Amino acid sequence: MEEGEEETCARIEREVRDCLGDPNAAQLGNDPTLLRQKSYVDELEMEVDEEEEQADEKKKLMKEKLWKLMCTYLPCDVLSLQKSIVQHVEYTLARRRYKKDKGSFYQATAVSVRDRLIERWTDTQQYLSSKDTKRVYYLSLEYLLGRNLQNAMSCLALRNRYAAALEELGYKLEELTEEERDPGLGSGGLGRLASCFLDSLATLNYAAWGYGIRYKYGMFEQRLIGRAQAEFPDFWLKEGYPWEVERPDVQYLVKMYGQLEEDGKDPVTGRPRVNWVGGEDVIAEGFDIPVPGFHTWNTNNLRLWTSKASCEFNLGSFNDGQYYAAIEEKERSEPLTSVLYPCDNNAPGKELRLRQQYFYVSATLQDILRRYKKRPEHSLLDLPRKVAIQLNETHPAIAIPEFMRLLLDEECLGWKEAWHITQNTFAYTNHTVMPEALEVWPLPLMEQLLPRHLTIIYEINHHFLGEVRARWPADQGRVARMSIIEESEPKLIKMAHLAIIGCHRVNGVAQVHTGLLCSSLFPDFYEMWPQKFVNITNGVNHRRWMLQANPAMSAVISKWLGSHDWIHDLGLLARLKDLSSNPELQRDWQEAKMYNKRKLADFIERECGIVVNAAAMFDVHVKRIHEYKRQLMNILGVAYRYLRILSLQQEGNTEALGQMVPRVVIFAGKAAPNYFVAKDVIKLILAVAGRVNNDARIGDLLKVVFIPNYNVSMAELIIPGTDVSQHISTAGFEASGTSNMKFCMNGSLLLGSRDGANLEIEQSIGKDNMFMFGANTKEVDQLRRTINFRKPQMDGRLRWVLEEILSGRFGATFHDLVNSLQPGNDGYMVGHDFGSYLEANEVVDSIFKNPPAWTTKCIDSCASMSRFSSDRCIREYAEKIWQVVPHQFKPPGKVANVD
């Protein structure tokens, strides 16, 4: 790095520290020490075995004593933070504080921060209970939390103080942050969206909890071996997870298998009573992770369930010499929560996945009912006024019959009352466009695993189809289409239908997606209940993806807007549009981008062994590997670019070569272990990368990088260093997408297909600031329906690339991939869109060669992204679906002075 560049880097790092400072430390109780609230203490929890009058007096004295012992919030000056960290090293971790040990000091720092979260979490929950506010419960099978340390410190406005405290102890905060491992609780956009929602719910002061599964292993750790993906266990809990709190006091029994026995009739309703007996019992135990709001006292909760055997050890079997039988139940129960998304291409995998889904849903609903019934005045009939349950996709849809079972069998309500409560409590978010991706379960499996639930599903279907027949008396085709039960062999249970019928609202996640739900995926349901369907376009947490991931750019924004207020109100970014052509702003913006690109280039060299030029265009395509996401089209375009460079060299066309923009094409993403086509795409990417990167004739004109084991922390490094990002799914296949929003917020221009949220982003930022190409949803639908009758002419450039692949130029010949692109086989329209894709790339190149024009587009795009904040998204859910209002907790505003 040259001297001038070093000075620029040093200045940017100073600005970053200022941007990540603690402007609201005083308001958050960090200086001075504030009293904790006493009046919110739940006296129902203070059981006293005395006469009523004596008990009241004793409770009053106990309450006063217990409050005084911890009546102030933990101090947050630098010295107090240092004491807290060192005490945790010595007492919590039992390590030597004198030994240089980054791992121990990371753990101790995390627990120190967690201490300060927990006191806010406790007081928030007590405050909300005192208000008896309506609660939102968000059910998701996955959460991609990312690293927690930086986020929690920023939320508490304590980052700079902790950085100073650690520096005096001989540690850099940035180095300790690298010790934290990403939790293996999710696999893609669905889980990251859920995490963004939890962050915004807390920041906006809504009373909300998330529920999910505490997986022992993540999806898998991806490594590249022999130019192919290899999967290894992702044991993310190996070093422990300091952010969680085990709750051995929060346990529920979850029953599976068994059989049904009739037990007479209910004397009130006259309905047959059914007992679910026998089978297998599993214990669900809760683990809590505090979820702080940004610069607010409110702290919500994420409760994750782990499975335990109801009988840990059978001493009788052990004494009889049956040593394996003695632990059989333990061995069968604990794998329930071992792995995220077990492969379901076989019967045992399907069974495990359904057991997993039911396990966490049952524990969650039991917990919700327990929390609701804690207040004696709460009637179950009023539950929809106090509880909103959101199903994130169909994975938790088994909650509908499970809630009915709890209300019917455990709470002894009648069917009518139970169904009214259920329908008015639940809502369902659909994230799926492809009919084949909608979750279904074989009826025999449901009958074996959850016999009681199958009878409830039958009854739900019976009542519902009665409504359908009443409205359309002679339309048996419609009845068959809308039924929860598909009359196939074997019969199937359609979980999306169950969710739609059992919920009072169904929402899509982008305008085009919701339109497809109503017109193509569920048109009969939309015709029956148009009021049920609403659109709420997805959003992302801009504080995580701009302030935390890209402090260099955030510092530039704050400088030119004159404050940090945009962090709370993203709409203020719009003021940058009037400044986007300002040469000084452009210089600051370009320097911040180059700073981020150098960090990414260093990472690529360190992790992948590939040296890249930070001055080249960084062209990024990072997401789950899938045919519809069309990483195949991208790498074929890269192969064409490579062949074109060689052709121009052979022709001696130096003028054309001189006009080519150097590109670093960066891929990352995992392919499901049993998705062999996607794994072949990774092989092709690595094969092309091997050829291009080792061809001395190419130099820096083109580099290809595949970064393994993509996760949230890696995204926080890649996204800020990107010039152009690709979101090129086949139109009509991506429900929304959220990475497009993150890239655009970070000043990257988008190369995109006419799909998902791309269309709404284009509306917001303007067509001139986005590079769109390819067929739209209607055109794709028509092309797919006529695929077997058309004989399209393949683009000559694509034919050239495929011929070169088959010739072995890139090593293996990839016959299956090449064959999938032949006319009649190309269901994802790679061939159809390839020509317009290359032309869009040429436009990208032409504008990149004009830095002022490119930078103006980047600033304008970033400044137009306010509607894609998850804050806006959550406000819409609150208004359109949950009917909840914010409740902000604030402690008493006086300085502590307690005798």
Side-chain angles (χ1 to χ4, degrees):
M1 190 181 297
E2 296 180 3
E3 186 176 342
E5 293 174 342
E6 288 180 355
E7 290 177 1
T8 300
C9 255
R11 176 178 56 77
I12 289 173
E13 286 171 1
R14 286 195 301 272
E15 292 172 352
V16 164
R17 284 193 295 273
D18 291 341
C19 186
L20 294 175
D22 309 332
N24 294 316
Q27 295 93 308
L28 290 176
N30 301 331
D31 185 27
T33 303
L34 294 182
L35 284 173
R36 298 181 70 177
Q37 182 58 267
K38 179 167 57 173
S39 61
Y40 301 146
V41 175
D42 188 352
E43 295 185 6
L44 293 174
E45 296 178 336
M46 300 171 63
E47 297 180 5
V48 179
D49 296 326
E50 305 279 354
E51 295 291 331
E52 186 173 341
E53 188 173 333
Q54 291 178 313
D56 287 344
E57 184 62 28
K58 197 164 186 178
K59 280 184 182 179
K60 184 177 179 181
L61 293 172
M62 284 173 55
K63 178 177 176 180
E64 186 72 19
K65 178 68 173 177
L66 290 169
W67 175 73
K68 279 188 176 181
L69 287 170
M70 299 183 70
C71 63
T72 60
Y73 289 95
L74 292 169
C76 295
D77 58 279
V78 171
L79 180 59
S80 296
L81 296 180
Q82 289 172 336
K83 286 181 179 179
S84 171
I85 294 167
V86 173
Q87 284 174 345
H88 280 303
V89 170
E90 184 141 328
Y91 299 126
T92 305
L93 304 176
R95 306 278 174 82
R96 285 172 50 78
R97 63 184 185 274
Y98 305 103
K99 184 180 179 181
K100 189 78 172 177
D101 182 354
K102 290 180 185 178
S104 295
F105 270 79
Y106 155 69
Q107 294 265 352
T109 303
V111 179
S112 171
V113 175
R114 192 192 70 179
D115 289 344
R116 286 150 179 80
L117 289 178
I118 285 176
E119 57 187 8
R120 287 160 168 76
W121 177 84
T122 301
D123 289 358
T124 300
Q125 302 313 309
Q126 290 290 352
Y127 167 75
L128 295 173
S129 294
S130 74
K131 293 295 184 184
D132 194 21
T133 182
K134 186 174 185 179
R135 310 278 186 132
V136 174
Y137 296 106
Y138 195 81
L139 275 62
S140 180
L141 198 59
E142 55 173 293
Y143 294 90
L144 266 179
L145 301 176
R147 291 172 176 163
N148 216 4
L149 184 60
Q150 292 263 32
N151 181 63
M153 287 179 179
S154 294
C155 287
L156 295 174
L158 288 176
R159 184 194 178 279
N160 282 1
R161 296 191 188 194
Y162 268 104
L166 287 165
E167 189 167 5
E168 289 183 10
L169 296 175
Y171 295 91
K172 289 188 178 297
L173 176 58
E174 291 75 15
E175 292 177 355
L176 293 195
T177 301
E178 293 300 315
E179 295 293 313
E180 183 172 359
R181 187 162 183 171
D182 279 37
L185 300 171
S187 70
L190 188 74
R192 186 54 229 166
L193 179 76
S195 299
C196 283
F197 281 6
L198 293 187
D199 290 339
S200 281
L201 282 162
T203 298
L204 298 176
N205 303 310
Y206 290 105
W209 280 30
Y211 281 97
I213 294 178
R214 180 183 182 263
Y215 301 102
K216 186 175 181 181
Y217 298 94
M219 187 177 181
F220 60 84
E221 179 187 335
Q222 181 192 53
R223 300 181 195 170
L224 304 178
I225 298 177
R227 289 189 178 174
Q229 170 180 292
E231 300 95 23
F232 290 82
D234 175 20
F235 188 24
W236 67 279
L237 287 167
K238 181 180 177 182
E239 305 295 333
Y241 189 57
W243 301 101
E244 67 183 4
V245 179
E246 185 174 4
R247 295 292 193 192
D249 57 316
V250 180
Q251 294 188 349
Y252 298 97
L253 209 61
V254 178
K255 178 185 285 294
M256 302 179 202
Y257 304 102
Q259 56 279 336
L260 302 180
E261 292 181 352
E262 289 195 9
D263 185 21
K265 292 190 175 181
D266 187 290
V268 177
T269 65
R271 293 167 48 82
R273 279 179 171 164
V274 176
N275 289 333
W276 184 12
V277 298
E280 171 188 311
D281 292 329
V282 180
I283 290 175
E285 180 179 301
F287 283 75
D288 289 347
I289 301 173
V291 181
F294 184 82
H295 292 187
T296 176
W297 284 85
N298 285 54
T299 303
N300 288 336
N301 191 46
L302 171 59
R303 178 159 286 174
L304 304 175
W305 302 107
T306 192
S307 57
K308 293 189 169 186
S310 56
C311 176
E312 286 275 330
F313 185 75
N314 189 322
L315 185 60
S317 297
F318 185 84
N319 289 338
D320 289 340
Q322 301 177 45
Y323 305 122
Y324 290 107
I327 59 171
E328 181 180 4
E329 186 173 339
K330 177 181 173 70
E331 293 298 308
R332 178 167 170 77
S333 298
E334 293 191 352
L336 251 182
T337 53
S338 287
V339 182
L340 167 69
Y341 292 144
C343 289
D344 61 352
N345 59 348
N346 53 63
K350 278 187 170 63
E351 182 177 346
L352 178 56
R353 190 176 282 203
L354 180 56
R355 289 177 70 214
Q356 207 175 61
Q357 292 180 8
Y358 173 66
F359 162 81
Y360 103 89
V361 158
S362 177
T364 296
L365 296 182
Q366 291 182 66
D367 197 44
I368 291 170
L369 283 174
R370 175 191 64 81
R371 287 168 53 78
Y372 176 75
K373 290 164 62 180
K374 276 175 66 177
R375 297 184 74 95
E377 69 271 22
H378 278 174
S379 162
L380 286 172
L381 296 177
D382 290 332
L383 188 138
R385 292 179 52 246
K386 296 294 181 182
V387 172
I389 301 176
Q390 189 71 34
L391 306 179
N392 191 27
E393 254 301 347
T394 54
H395 307 129
I398 194 67
I400 304 295
E402 170 63 3
F403 204 59
M404 288 294 292
R405 183 191 72 81
L406 291 170
L407 295 177
L408 294 169
D409 299 354
E410 305 294 332
E411 304 295 339
C412 300
L413 294 183
W415 179 274
K416 202 171 190 180
E417 294 86 356
W419 186 241
H420 173 80
I421 293 167
T422 299
Q423 269 198 318
N424 286 281
T425 301
F426 284 89
Y428 160 52
T429 301
N430 176 279
H431 295 273
T432 305
V433 177
M434 299 177 287
E436 62 269 23
L438 294 173
E439 194 167 53
V440 296
W441 293 111
L443 190 145
L445 174 59
M446 186 72 72
E447 186 173 35
Q448 173 198 3
L449 181 60
L450 302 171
R452 177 64 176 127
H453 297 72
L454 182 59
T455 64
I456 292 172
I457 290 170
Y458 276 142
E459 190 151 359
I460 292 171
N461 202 40
H462 171 73
H463 287 288
F464 169 67
L465 293 183
E467 292 182 48
V468 176
R469 291 187 180 99
R471 185 161 176 181
W472 294 285
D475 196 341
Q476 281 305 114
R478 185 186 295 266
V479 170
R481 290 194 306 270
M482 298 182 76
S483 174
I484 298 172
I485 312 297
E486 182 176 305
E487 300 294 333
S488 54
E489 186 55 47
K491 292 181 179 180
L492 299 173
I493 298 173
K494 296 182 277 191
M495 301 306 285
H497 288 200
L498 177 61
I500 293 171
I501 294 164
C503 293
H504 69 281
R505 286 288 184 275
V506 179
N507 74 281
V509 292
Q511 288 174 358
V512 66
H513 170 236
T514 304
L516 288 170
L517 293 187
C518 299
S519 63
S520 302
L521 216 55
F522 307 120
D524 294 316
F525 289 96
Y526 178 68
E527 187 176 353
M528 185 170 187
W529 293 314
Q531 75 283 0
K532 266 197 185 190
F533 290 80
V534 297
N535 176 65
I536 301 180
T537 298
N538 282 341
V540 300
N541 177 8
H542 62 276
R543 288 168 291 273
R544 179 86 185 216
W545 292 104
M546 294 177 72
L547 180 65
Q548 181 174 321
N550 196 350
M553 188 192 74
S554 297
V556 172
I557 293 172
S558 293
K559 172 184 173 181
W560 282 87
L561 292 182
S563 77
H564 299 307
D565 292 348
W566 64 272
I567 298 169
H568 300 275
D569 180 4
L570 202 60
L572 296 176
L573 290 182
R575 288 163 49 193
L576 290 175
K577 292 181 188 177
D578 295 334
L579 304 169
S580 62
S581 299
N582 184 300
E584 293 181 12
L585 170 57
Q586 291 209 352
R587 183 203 63 210
D588 289 349
W589 194 275
Q590 290 164 0
E591 286 177 350
K593 176 64 74 174
M594 183 56 67
Y595 174 81
N596 291 324
K597 290 176 71 174
R598 287 199 180 102
K599 286 175 63 177
L600 178 53
D602 290 344
F603 175 81
I604 289 171
E605 182 176 2
R606 186 169 64 250
E607 298 296 322
C608 305
I610 302 171
V611 178
V612 298
N613 179 9
M617 179 195 294
F618 279 18
D619 173 358
V620 174
H621 195 171
V622 291
K623 54 188 74 222
R624 178 168 54 96
I625 310 296
H626 197 289
E627 288 170 276
Y628 86 81
K629 293 181 183 288
R630 299 203 291 193
Q631 287 93 348
L632 178 57
M633 181 162 68
N634 188 347
I635 194 59
L636 293 173
V638 172
Y640 170 75
R641 193 177 189 90
Y642 169 69
L643 295 172
R644 174 73 175 146
I645 292 170
L646 294 182
S647 175
L648 290 173
Q649 288 178 341
Q650 289 174 353
E651 296 170 5
N653 192 338
T654 55
E655 183 179 350
L657 283 168
Q659 290 299 310
M660 295 200 76
V661 173
R663 277 205 197 198
V664 178
V665 184
I666 300 169
F667 294 89
K670 295 179 181 179
N674 60 342
Y675 192 178
F676 299 109
V677 175
K679 293 175 83 169
D680 280 348
V681 171
I682 293 177
K683 288 180 181 179
L684 179 58
I685 293 171
L686 294 172
V688 172
R691 169 65 66 178
V692 171
N693 297 341
N694 291 297
D695 192 331
R697 295 170 295 178
I698 300 300
D700 283 343
L701 269 181
L702 183 62
K703 296 288 184 186
V704 184
V705 177
F706 189 102
I707 303 175
N709 210 36
Y710 184 59
N711 57 26
V712 175
S713 299
M714 207 175 290
E716 290 175 350
L717 177 68
I718 294 171
I719 291 173
T722 299
D723 290 308
V724 63
S725 64
Q726 301 206 24
H727 307 272
I728 58 176
S729 53
T730 309
F733 280 75
E734 187 75 83
S736 168
T738 53
S739 63
N740 44 9
M741 304 170 189
K742 297 163 194 168
F743 278 100
C744 207
M745 284 180 180
N746 278 275
S748 164
L749 298 186
L750 305 188
L751 173 60
S753 56
R754 294 177 171 87
D755 195 27
N758 283 354
L759 295 168
E760 289 173 68
I761 292 174
E762 184 186 45
Q763 290 171 9
S764 292
I765 69 176
K767 291 184 178 182
D768 291 342
N769 293 322
M770 193 165 174
F771 308 102
M772 296 283 265
F773 72 94
N776 62 31
T777 300
K778 289 183 180 179
E779 291 166 344
V780 167
D781 184 54
Q782 176 68 17
L783 290 166
R784 284 172 65 85
R785 280 191 282 109
T786 61
I787 192 169
N788 294 320
F789 309 105
R790 293 180 293 104
K791 294 294 181 184
Q793 186 71 29
M794 182 179 285
D795 185 285
R797 294 162 292 187
L798 177 59
R799 186 185 307 110
W800 180 24
V801 171
L802 297 182
E803 287 171 353
E804 290 294 316
I805 291 173
L806 289 173
S807 73
R809 178 186 281 271
F810 300 101
T813 53
F814 298 96
H815 282 283
D816 290 343
L817 287 180
V818 171
N819 187 55
S820 72
L821 300 177
Q822 300 304 316
N825 300 336
D826 186 13
Y828 295 99
M829 304 297 125
V830 172
H832 180 276
D833 287 351
F834 191 73
S836 61
Y837 172 69
L838 293 183
E839 289 153 15
N841 268 283
E842 290 173 3
V843 177
V844 171
D845 282 351
S846 67
I847 297 175
F848 190 77
K849 287 186 285 190
N850 183 346
W854 180 273
T855 306
T856 297
K857 289 179 180 293
C858 292
I859 297 171
D860 284 342
S861 298
C862 172
S864 305
M865 289 297 290
S866 62
R867 76 174 294 244
F868 299 100
S869 165
S870 52
D871 290 358
R872 183 273 314 158
C873 193
I874 287 301
R875 288 190 181 102
E876 288 191 22
Y877 274 97
E879 180 184 345
K880 295 181 180 179
I881 297 179
W882 302 328
Q883 301 298 302
V884 294
V885 295
H887 288 272
Q888 184 174 7
F889 164 65
K890 291 181 180 179
K894 58 181 180 179
V895 178
N897 182 18
V898 181
D899 294 334

